[in-house]
Amino acid sequence: MRLVTGLSFPTDGGIELFGHVGERKLRMERKRIGSMIEYPTLIPDMTAKEGLRHHRIMRGIPDKEVEDELPELYQTATDFIIIHKGVIKKILTFEQLGEFCRHHILIRCNEPEKLVSILETELKTTNFKVMPDKSIRLYDYLDEVERVAKAIFDHGIMVTNLSNEGDTLESYFLSTIGGDRNV
Amino acid sequence: MFNLIHADLYSLRKSNAVRIAFCITCLTAAAMVIISYFMAKGSISSEISGNASALCDPMVMSMVGSLIAGIFICGDFQNKTIHDAIAGGCGRSTVLISKAISYFIVIAVMLLPYAIATVIAFATGSEFMPYLYTAFFDILANASGMDLTAEVFLKITAISVTLMIVYAAQLSICVLFSFLLKRPTLVVALGIGSIMLITMVMGLGDDFEIIESILSLTPFAMNYPTISMEAAAGDLIKAISSSLGFILLILGVTYAGFRKAEIK
C-alpha cells in the first residue's frame, strides 16, 4: 500500500495503477484512491468536522456540503467500534452509543419512586429513564435544571446528584480513550 | 498547489501554537518600542540593552520561526497530513513548495507586529533610543528627523516587506531541517542554533574574511545596515534578490533530500 500511494519507492520492479505507469501518470491516478495507512490524519486543535474541512480543501473538493455528510454516515452505521492506536477500546450498538451521547439531567436521590411520581405529575413528563442503579436520566428540562431542582426540593426529597450529562460523539470518543492528550 | 496552501493556512489559523506565537511577537514588539522610548527619556538605564535585545526582531524571529517550522512542518509529518497529500496524488515538489510558501506567509505575519509598532511609534514623533543595530530601530531613531508623509510611509512599508522576505530566507533553513529530520525538537534546536552561529561568525568579521564575504551574499547579512532608511531602491532589490536566491538554493537542497525519501 505504501508503494502504491507513493510513500515508499520500489527497489525493483514497477507499479501500474489503473493501467497507467510512470511517475507523472501514477500521481494523477492516485487522486482516484482513498487511503488510510496505519493511522488516520488527526490534526491537533481541530474538531472532527474541521479536520474534514481541511481534507476537503486539500483535495480541492468545492462542495462544502460534503462536510455535513459525516453525521449522516454516522447515522447509517449499526455498530460502532472505538479503536485507538490499533487497540479496540469499545464495541457498542447505535442505540448504546445514542444512550451514552444523549444529553440528559442525571438525578440521584433517596426516593426514586417518589421522584418518578413528581416528574409525571408536577413536571408533566414521561421522557425519562430509571437506570438499574436507581438513578434517573431526565431528557426534558435540559435548560431548566433549577425548575427541576425546585420541584424535587419542594417535596422534601434528598438529592445526592443533579447534573447535566451527555457527550458529543467526539467528546465521547475522547473520554473513552482517556482524554485528548492521548489523541 | 493552491489547495495545499489553502489547507495549510486553514490549519495554521486553527493552531493554538501559532496564535500564541503571534501574541508573543505582538508583546515583544510593543515591549521593544516601549523600552526604547523610556531609554531615550532616561527612565530606564541603557545597561539593560543586552537583555532587552532578546525582544528585538532578529532574536524573536529566529526563535518563533524555528518553533513554527517544528510545529507546522514536522507536525504535518506526525499527524500524517503530508502522507495524505502524497497519497492523494500531490507531487513531492508541490508539497515542499506549498509548505514553504505557507511557512513564509506565517513568518511575514509574525513580523507584522514589529512593522506596525514601528510605524505607530514613528508617527508619534517621540524620541527613541536604538539599543541594537536593526532596520526597525533605524526607522525608530529617525536620524534625519522626517515626518510621516506618504512617501516615508511607503519607504517604511518597502523596508518591512523586504525584511519579511529576508527573514523568510534566513528561516528557510528550518524548512530544510524539517523535511530532512522530521523531528520538531531537533528542528527548533538546530534552527535557533544555526542562525545564532551564522550571526556570530558574521560578527567575527576580519578574522574570517572569506567566510564573511561569502555570508555577506546571504540573507544573514541583509538586515542593518543594508536595509535602513538611507537604503536606496537598489539596496532593497539586492536584499530581495539575494534572499530569493538563497530560498531557491535551500529548497533545491531540500527537494534533493526529500524527492526519494521514504515517508514513515
Side-chain angles (χ1 to χ4, degrees):
Chain A
M1 282 177 70
R2 296 176 60 81
L3 291 172
V4 168
T5 51
L7 300 176
S8 297
F9 294 94
T11 50
D12 199 8
I15 297 170
E16 183 181 307
L17 213 51
F18 304 115
H20 292 89
V21 291
E23 194 48 48
R24 200 184 186 89
K25 285 185 178 173
L26 284 178
R27 268 209 311 272
M28 291 305 293
E29 296 307 317
R30 283 190 189 112
K31 292 183 193 294
R32 297 169 63 185
I33 299 176
S35 66
M36 189 179 77
I37 299 174
E38 294 177 34
Y39 300 114
T41 306
L42 292 172
I43 305 168
D45 305 325
M46 278 197 203
T47 63
K49 192 169 181 180
E50 286 168 345
L52 202 64
R53 179 173 297 168
H54 179 265
H55 282 276
R56 177 184 68 75
I57 296 168
M58 201 165 78
R59 292 211 165 218
I61 300 166
D63 185 6
K64 291 180 181 174
E65 286 179 13
V66 293
E67 292 167 20
D68 298 321
E69 286 174 16
L70 178 67
E72 286 173 23
L73 281 174
Y74 141 71
Q75 282 166 9
T76 56
T78 55
D79 290 284
F80 293 82
I81 303 173
I82 295 178
I83 303 171
H84 182 237
K85 294 187 175 171
V87 178
I88 295 176
K89 293 285 183 182
K90 199 173 265 186
I91 302 174
L92 62 177
T93 63
F94 180 74
E95 287 75 24
Q96 286 172 318
L97 185 65
E99 189 61 38
F100 278 120
C101 295
R102 192 175 176 191
H103 286 265
H104 59 270
I105 300 172
L106 180 67
I107 310 169
R108 287 198 179 89
C109 64
N110 61 341
E111 295 177 87
E113 295 82 6
K114 192 174 172 184
L115 177 60
V116 167
S117 157
I118 293 165
L119 293 175
E120 288 175 345
T121 56
E122 189 144 332
L123 295 174
K124 312 275 188 229
T125 178
T126 54
N127 193 11
F128 60 83
K129 193 178 273 185
V130 180
M131 306 308 290
D133 64 352
K134 299 288 182 190
S135 65
I136 291 171
R137 291 183 175 193
L138 174 61
Y139 300 108
D140 282 342
Y141 298 99
L142 296 177
D143 298 324
E144 296 176 86
V145 184
E146 283 180 11
R147 190 176 161 191
V148 176
K150 186 174 184 307
I152 299 170
F153 180 77
D154 287 347
H155 288 81
I157 296 175
M158 192 169 78
V159 176
T160 54
N161 183 82
L162 184 76
S163 56
N164 270 312
E165 302 284 340
D167 282 324
T168 60
L169 183 61
E170 193 176 345
S171 57
Y172 177 69
F173 171 79
L174 290 175
S175 65
T176 306
I177 64 164
D180 58 359
R181 285 177 183 278
N182 292 326
V183 173
Chain B
M1 188 191 296
F2 289 109
N3 293 331
L4 289 182
I5 295 170
H6 187 185
D8 281 341
L9 294 179
Y10 177 74
S11 67
L12 284 165
R13 205 152 44 86
K14 295 282 172 187
S15 166
N16 285 334
V18 172
R19 288 176 190 171
I20 291 168
F22 184 70
C23 289
I24 289 171
T25 57
C26 288
L27 288 173
T28 52
M32 179 189 88
V33 171
I34 291 166
I35 288 172
S36 170
Y37 173 74
F38 283 111
M39 267 189 189
K41 284 189 84 175
S43 309
I44 296 178
S45 164
S46 58
E47 284 173 8
I48 67 153
S49 60
N51 293 330
S53 65
L55 299 170
C56 298
D57 49 300
M59 189 68 87
V60 171
M61 289 309 291
S62 69
M63 285 193 283
V64 166
S66 305
L67 190 72
I68 290 174
I71 291 166
F72 167 51
I73 303 176
C74 301
D76 276 0
F77 274 108
Q78 289 178 344
N79 61 37
K80 311 280 178 190
T81 305
I82 289 177
H83 300 59
D84 273 1
I86 291 170
C90 297
R92 293 191 178 209
S93 57
T94 311
V95 171
L96 170 63
I97 294 168
S98 63
K99 281 273 172 272
I101 291 173
S102 308
Y103 177 61
F104 296 154
I105 289 171
V106 179
I107 296 301
V109 171
M110 292 296 154
L111 193 67
L112 209 54
Y114 281 96
I116 292 170
T118 304
V119 170
I120 293 171
F122 187 93
T124 61
S126 304
E127 198 181 325
F128 296 91
M129 179 189 276
Y131 55 85
L132 197 73
Y133 294 117
T134 69
F136 283 129
F137 266 133
D138 185 65
I139 297 168
L140 279 179
N142 194 12
S144 321
M146 290 180 284
D147 292 323
L148 188 63
T149 58
E151 193 185 342
V152 171
F153 180 75
L154 276 177
K155 178 129 196 193
I156 295 173
T157 306
I159 288 172
S160 301
V161 170
T162 308
L163 274 177
M164 285 170 184
I165 296 168
V166 167
Y167 279 120
Q170 287 182 8
L171 290 162
S172 64
I173 56 169
C174 293
V175 177
L176 171 71
F177 294 145
S178 302
F179 272 91
L180 299 188
L181 303 173
K182 304 179 184 74
R183 295 276 182 275
T185 43
L186 282 176
V187 170
V188 174
L190 279 174
I192 296 171
S194 51
I195 290 171
M196 282 184 174
L197 185 70
I198 294 168
T199 312
M200 277 169 64
V201 170
M202 288 199 59
L204 293 175
D206 298 339
D207 298 336
F208 297 95
E209 239 175 80
I210 301 167
I211 298 173
E212 204 242 341
S213 59
I214 294 168
L215 287 175
S216 67
L217 299 172
T218 68
F220 297 97
M222 295 301 164
N223 203 313
Y224 186 84
T226 309
I227 304 172
S228 65
M229 283 304 272
E230 276 71 46
D235 296 322
L236 299 185
I237 290 167
K238 181 188 164 196
I240 290 171
S241 53
S242 153
S243 300
L244 293 179
F246 190 77
I247 288 173
L248 284 177
L249 177 72
I250 294 293
L251 292 188
V253 174
T254 310
Y255 181 64
F258 181 59
R259 194 170 70 94
K260 289 286 178 187
E262 182 164 355
I263 303 173
K264 291 180 180 170

